[in-house]
Amino acid sequence: MLTFYFSLMDTEGQRSRFEQIYRENCQLMLALALRILREPYLAEDAVQDAFVRVASHMETVERLEDWQARRYVLT
């Protein structure tokens, strides 16, 4: 799955930062989405859509501190 996201980014630095953000936040995002949506397939789709948006905006996201990136992806 990460390969798809990586295709949306230009540099290795962006890919590395995205992978870090993905690994640190994926489970938390899924748990939050599941609590809100109450359907596993909807929660998975919501998290996947969120990560597509994050990958599409990595030129901005890669400059954020870790806590700012977490807030960004959870929002």
Side-chain angles (χ1 to χ4, degrees):
M1 181 52 91
L2 285 175
T3 305
F4 169 73
Y5 298 126
F6 287 168
S7 71
L8 301 172
M9 291 169 247
D10 298 327
T11 68
E12 185 60 36
Q14 288 177 345
R15 292 179 189 103
S16 177
R17 178 70 170 133
F18 179 86
E19 185 174 7
Q20 175 192 6
I21 291 169
Y22 182 89
R23 293 189 190 285
E24 290 176 358
N25 297 291
C26 187
Q27 292 301 316
L28 179 60
M29 291 172 67
L30 188 56
L32 181 62
L34 188 56
R35 194 165 67 214
I36 292 168
L37 299 170
R38 302 199 187 279
E39 292 290 338
Y41 69 93
L42 291 176
E44 290 171 5
D45 284 349
V47 170
Q48 188 172 24
D49 288 347
F51 276 119
V52 167
R53 289 182 182 188
V54 170
S56 298
H57 295 94
M58 274 311 291
E59 66 281 348
T60 301
V61 177
E62 71 179 331
R63 295 188 305 255
L64 298 176
E65 298 291 331
D66 288 342
W67 66 271
Q68 292 171 316
R70 175 166 281 163
R71 288 180 73 184
Y72 182 85
V73 299
L74 290 176
T75 302

